[in-house]
Amino acid sequence: MLLPITLALLAPSTQAADEGTNQLVRIHSQNPRQLATDLAHEGFDVLHEGVDADGAVGVVVSPDERRRLEARGLALEVESTGRPLRDILPPPEPGDGVVPSGYPDLAGILAALNAFAAAHPTRARVVDVTATYGLAPTFQGRHLYALVISDNVAVEEDEPSFLLVSAHHCREIVTPVIALDTIERLLSGYGSNAAIRAAVDEYEIWIAPLWNPDGYEHVFNVDNLWRKNRRTFAGGTGVDLNRNYPFGWGNACAGSSSPSSSTYRGPSPASEAETITLMALSEAQRFEKVIDFHSTGRETLWGYACPTAPIDAYWRQEAATLSQASSYGGAERRPSADGEHYHWQFVTYGSMSFLTETHSSFQPSYASAMTEASNVWPGTFWLLQRAMPLRGHVTHACTGAPLRATITYVSPVFSSGEANSSALPYGRYHAFLPPGNHSLRFEAPGFAPRTLQAPVSAGATTALDVALTPLNTSGTVFCPATANSTGQVPTITSNGATSLGQNQLQLTADRLPAQEVAVFLLGQNETQMPMFQGVLCLGRPAYRLGLLNTGATGSVQSTLDLSQSPLALAAGTTVAYQLYYRDFAGGGTARNYSPALRLTFCP
Ligand SMILES: [Zn+2]
């Protein structure tokens, strides 16, 4: 009887609600399946397996959660109590290769990434993602890292990107091992395996073995059952990083709203540095394919927890194929919750994205983790090689310049805010869509929107490049004009008809002295040279178009026949116009200029 009292006296009064380590407990009940469902719904960390062979529910609980369950009259059987992983694992042996010969700690993972890059400097580089995007570090001040593998890895090329990310949940220590093993296979296989070489040449492959470094340190040094990050709140510690992404964050299938829960979704969507950093990386890289590794369960997850999507059957079938290739026999399911990382990737960027639950144990022997990595690799490679259903580039129809465009699915009809877009610097986009005849709408500010058919065939890539024609081609005014003898600064505008097919362009200049001679100049070489009473904006050669008169209103308008232009015009050609006019109104022999107008012609 003395022991609990002693512990109570030792406990500081400021102790946080969940101080102390987690425990893995088994709970027997009359209806274990219902209990597992209920507890998961309440935000308890129910093991993926749910009910075990003895009819008990496995749950990882914090001390606070344990008290809450006991208060409900449930009998908890403690299977294990969290303790430092370092005390459990055999110490790693000195490295005999770049992959550590035992579970790597945080420093070991970073050292492995740096060793890979050093050994393969033309095909691998380490990216400090936190620093690259100028973002805040984790709660405990750490940066997040990834290794990029590609041909010409130092150069950002116009290639699709692939993301493998592990250990959003830090106790799932098999998953960084799988990530490092994948790196090893890609880099060592490049020289000898034509298929690996082709994949590495085609893709920029981003591998992030550990997305929860604060938690991983806690697992190694304090509590091997810890799952969340380590941000502290008044009511508890840690956010479940795979519940913190914006999609479905607040819906009925979201993570817990209680900071003491193991599935705490965080105070707001994307509240965590880890989430923000992966979102920033994804916005820049636009990953065409994503695999997010977790444990345990040996199955592949697809879709959303609450909403449904018109691609569900296809997504499920692809997940089953990925699971099969990963040695998991085609096992697949919907996710446990919304707010997860992988489905955010599809919802935001149309990515081919999955979550695979690896192994049957969080922390098996290292040899067993390596066997798992070997078994999972064919699945990862299948995903790399799998034909992306739809991809292309969006460009400016006149200049060919890449465009950032909004892409809307007209059909199939999505209803959960699923978005898509092309991104700079290459205007590249992609869409994970089932076989069928789809319809997509492409829009960019200042361009005529286009709705296009997008036929997708099973197992093949449809390449759909989209050129958008500018809506308002009224041009850009450049080169400042001076006030003329009327005290006004002239203006120059066009009717925006820069289509060579339409052939007629109307130019107007206003705020001119009345009844004076004027002429439009045409040229391609822009300059700014003081001349007479104004500024000449066109260098040589410049062409004079027809003579005009400013009339009673001090204005000229001219309709140009583009086919008769003294300067040959083609789609993409950029030219400038400027008005040259006599300005006698104030007396003397003044001549003056309007500002210049730059226009680009379209087909
Ligand atoms: Zn997990």
Side-chain angles (χ1 to χ4, degrees):
M1 290 304 290
L2 202 61
L3 189 59
I5 296 166
T6 308
L7 285 174
L9 287 172
L10 286 172
S13 58
T14 55
Q15 190 175 29
D18 67 347
E19 194 113 339
T21 62
N22 287 341
Q23 289 182 312
L24 170 57
V25 300
R26 302 277 169 187
I27 310 171
H28 290 271
S29 84
Q30 300 281 26
N31 189 346
R33 293 206 178 276
Q34 188 61 47
L35 181 66
T37 304
D38 292 347
L39 292 180
H41 197 69
E42 290 171 44
F44 282 94
D45 187 5
V46 179
L47 298 189
H48 289 307
E49 299 89 298
V51 179
D52 65 19
D54 295 339
V57 181
V59 188
V60 177
V61 291
S62 66
D64 179 57
E65 289 175 313
R66 178 184 173 157
R67 281 189 289 275
R68 278 160 47 201
L69 290 177
E70 285 171 339
R72 286 154 68 160
L74 294 167
L76 276 51
E77 178 193 326
V78 176
E79 184 171 308
S80 68
T81 296
R83 59 197 174 108
L85 187 66
R86 289 188 200 284
D87 295 351
I88 303 170
L89 298 175
E93 289 160 27
D96 50 1
V98 287
V99 177
S101 58
Y103 279 111
D105 59 10
L106 177 58
I109 289 175
L110 296 180
L113 293 184
N114 285 317
F116 280 125
H120 303 271
T122 61
R123 285 192 284 279
R125 69 185 161 98
V126 177
V127 176
D128 178 339
V129 182
T130 305
T132 298
Y133 297 103
L135 299 171
T138 65
F139 185 73
Q140 294 181 345
R142 296 190 175 87
H143 286 207
L144 295 156
Y145 296 89
L147 186 86
V148 191
I149 299 173
S150 189
D151 60 338
N152 311 315
V153 74
V155 185
E156 188 102 0
E157 297 179 297
D158 182 12
E159 294 175 338
S161 295
F162 179 100
L163 173 66
L164 185 164
V165 61
S166 284
H168 272 78
H169 294 147
C170 48
R171 69 189 175 198
E172 299 166 7
I173 64 171
V174 170
T175 64
V177 172
I178 292 173
L180 294 177
D181 178 76
T182 305
I183 294 170
E184 168 71 32
R185 287 172 190 274
L186 290 170
L187 291 175
S188 67
Y190 188 87
S192 55
N193 182 316
I196 288 177
R197 187 187 189 109
V200 170
D201 285 350
E202 181 183 1
Y203 279 89
E204 297 206 345
I205 301 169
W206 288 70
I207 299 186
L210 175 59
W211 214 251
N212 183 357
D214 294 357
Y216 200 71
E217 278 290 271
H218 193 69
V219 162
F220 266 73
N221 298 317
V222 181
D223 181 357
N224 67 308
L225 295 177
W226 192 255
R227 163 185 171 99
K228 301 188 284 182
N229 74 1
R230 292 296 301 165
R231 183 175 168 194
T232 55
F233 298 90
T237 298
V239 171
D240 182 339
L241 295 176
N242 206 37
R243 299 291 182 273
N244 189 236
Y245 287 82
F247 177 71
W249 181 87
N251 75 14
C253 295
S256 170
S257 58
S258 165
S260 67
S261 165
S262 291
T263 60
Y264 178 45
R265 67 190 183 191
S268 59
S271 56
E272 303 309 291
E274 297 86 345
T275 314
I276 292 165
T277 305
L278 194 47
M279 288 171 66
L281 176 63
S282 302
E283 174 64 19
Q285 292 301 322
R286 302 302 184 102
F287 298 108
E288 188 181 90
K289 299 172 181 174
V290 176
I291 180 70
D292 188 342
F293 281 122
H294 286 250
S295 65
T296 61
R298 291 182 169 147
E299 56 193 349
T300 295
L301 278 53
W302 54 272
Y304 322 138
C306 261
T308 57
I311 65 161
D312 276 355
Y314 170 68
W315 204 345
R316 179 181 188 176
Q317 177 196 320
E318 293 287 287
T321 310
L322 173 56
S323 164
Q324 189 75 43
S326 309
S327 83
Y328 295 153
E332 44 74 22
R333 65 174 171 89
R334 282 186 184 275
S336 311
D338 287 323
E340 300 203 4
H341 162 246
Y342 82 93
H343 50 210
W344 173 82
Q345 291 279 5
F346 171 75
V347 166
T348 311
Y349 301 117
S351 310
M352 181 189 284
S353 184
F354 303 93
L355 184 158
T356 291
E357 297 279 6
T358 64
H359 217 290
S360 57
S361 163
F362 290 131
Q363 290 151 9
S365 73
Y366 182 70
S368 177
M370 286 302 289
T371 301
E372 197 78 6
S374 172
N375 291 340
V376 165
W377 158 252
T380 305
F381 196 53
W382 173 86
L383 185 60
L384 253 175
Q385 292 188 296
R386 184 68 170 160
M388 189 67 202
L390 180 66
R391 64 157 72 123
H393 294 80
V394 183
T395 54
H396 189 303
C398 313
T399 66
L403 289 181
R404 192 182 170 92
T406 300
I407 302 171
T408 310
Y409 304 104
V410 178
S411 71
V413 177
F414 288 91
S415 52
S416 299
E418 290 86 347
N420 204 322
S421 53
S422 65
L424 298 180
Y426 300 109
R428 182 177 272 281
Y429 77 95
H430 55 258
F432 178 57
L433 292 171
N437 288 313
H438 309 301
S439 176
L440 273 63
R441 183 174 168 87
F442 296 80
E443 295 172 85
F447 291 82
R450 292 183 71 187
T451 300
L452 295 173
Q453 298 306 307
V456 169
S457 307
T461 297
T462 297
L464 180 65
D465 289 330
V466 180
L468 296 181
T469 303
L471 259 184
N472 178 3
T473 46
S474 53
T476 306
V477 174
F478 71 98
C479 187
T482 55
N484 55 34
S485 57
T486 70
Q488 304 179 95
V489 176
T491 59
I492 180 168
T493 57
S494 85
N495 65 346
T498 54
S499 160
L500 293 172
Q502 289 175 25
N503 204 26
Q504 292 202 324
L505 173 68
Q506 203 173 76
L507 293 177
T508 303
D510 287 313
R511 300 158 70 92
L512 303 165
Q515 306 295 357
E516 293 286 7
V517 173
V519 63
F520 279 111
L521 306 177
L522 163 67
Q524 279 188 297
N525 298 314
E526 299 179 8
T527 184
Q528 261 194 49
M529 189 187 303
M531 185 75 75
F532 304 114
Q533 269 59 47
V535 180
L536 175 64
C537 308
L538 301 179
R540 294 173 192 277
Y543 303 88
R544 288 166 172 250
L545 306 179
L547 273 182
L548 303 164
N549 190 283
T550 60
T553 57
S555 169
V556 292
Q557 192 170 81
S558 180
T559 299
L560 306 178
D561 179 345
L562 296 176
S563 69
Q564 299 299 312
S565 171
L567 190 63
L569 303 177
T573 302
T574 298
V575 300
Y577 295 95
Q578 183 177 27
L579 189 77
Y580 172 47
Y581 63 97
R582 292 200 311 182
D583 190 15
F584 288 175
T589 57
R591 287 165 172 75
N592 214 329
Y593 296 90
S594 74
L597 183 69
R598 183 189 305 125
L599 294 166
T600 300
F601 290 95
C602 303

Short mmCIF file of all heavy atoms in Angstrom, two decimals, residues 48 169 172 227 294-295 357, ligand 1:
data_model
loop_
_atom_site.label_atom_id
_atom_site.label_comp_id
_atom_site.label_asym_id
_atom_site.label_seq_id
_atom_site.Cartn_x
_atom_site.Cartn_y
_atom_site.Cartn_z
N HIS A 48 -4.78 -1.33 -35.17
CA HIS A 48 -5.44 -1.60 -36.45
C HIS A 48 -6.10 -2.96 -36.47
O HIS A 48 -7.12 -3.17 -37.12
CB HIS A 48 -4.43 -1.50 -37.60
CG HIS A 48 -4.01 -0.11 -37.86
ND1 HIS A 48 -4.90 0.91 -38.09
CD2 HIS A 48 -2.78 0.45 -37.92
CE1 HIS A 48 -4.23 2.04 -38.29
NE2 HIS A 48 -2.95 1.79 -38.19
N HIS A 169 3.86 8.76 -37.78
CA HIS A 169 3.69 8.17 -36.43
C HIS A 169 5.04 7.57 -36.03
O HIS A 169 5.49 6.61 -36.62
CB HIS A 169 2.60 7.10 -36.46
CG HIS A 169 1.25 7.67 -36.74
ND1 HIS A 169 0.29 6.97 -37.43
CD2 HIS A 169 0.71 8.87 -36.42
CE1 HIS A 169 -0.81 7.72 -37.53
NE2 HIS A 169 -0.58 8.88 -36.92
N GLU A 172 6.33 3.85 -35.35
CA GLU A 172 6.25 2.89 -36.44
C GLU A 172 7.63 2.79 -37.10
O GLU A 172 7.84 3.20 -38.24
CB GLU A 172 5.14 3.31 -37.40
CG GLU A 172 3.79 3.33 -36.67
CD GLU A 172 2.65 4.03 -37.41
OE1 GLU A 172 2.84 4.42 -38.57
OE2 GLU A 172 1.57 4.18 -36.79
N ARG A 227 3.17 8.09 -30.37
CA ARG A 227 2.68 8.16 -31.75
C ARG A 227 2.70 9.58 -32.33
O ARG A 227 2.96 9.79 -33.51
CB ARG A 227 1.25 7.62 -31.73
CG ARG A 227 0.37 7.92 -32.91
CD ARG A 227 -1.04 7.40 -32.60
NE ARG A 227 -2.04 7.80 -33.57
CZ ARG A 227 -2.48 7.03 -34.57
NH1 ARG A 227 -1.98 5.83 -34.75
NH2 ARG A 227 -3.41 7.45 -35.38
N HIS A 294 3.10 3.44 -43.00
CA HIS A 294 2.76 3.33 -41.57
C HIS A 294 2.90 1.87 -41.16
O HIS A 294 3.19 1.00 -41.97
CB HIS A 294 1.31 3.78 -41.34
CG HIS A 294 1.13 5.27 -41.41
ND1 HIS A 294 0.84 6.03 -40.31
CD2 HIS A 294 1.20 6.12 -42.46
CE1 HIS A 294 0.74 7.30 -40.68
NE2 HIS A 294 0.95 7.38 -41.98
N SER A 295 2.64 1.61 -39.89
CA SER A 295 2.43 0.25 -39.41
C SER A 295 1.43 0.36 -38.26
O SER A 295 1.35 1.41 -37.63
CB SER A 295 3.76 -0.39 -38.95
OG SER A 295 4.30 0.29 -37.84
N GLU A 357 -0.02 0.22 -44.64
CA GLU A 357 0.30 -0.23 -43.27
C GLU A 357 1.20 -1.44 -43.41
O GLU A 357 0.80 -2.46 -43.96
CB GLU A 357 -0.99 -0.62 -42.54
CG GLU A 357 -1.99 0.50 -42.35
CD GLU A 357 -1.65 1.40 -41.16
OE1 GLU A 357 -0.57 1.21 -40.56
OE2 GLU A 357 -2.47 2.29 -40.86
ZN ZN B 1 0.55 5.21 -38.44
#
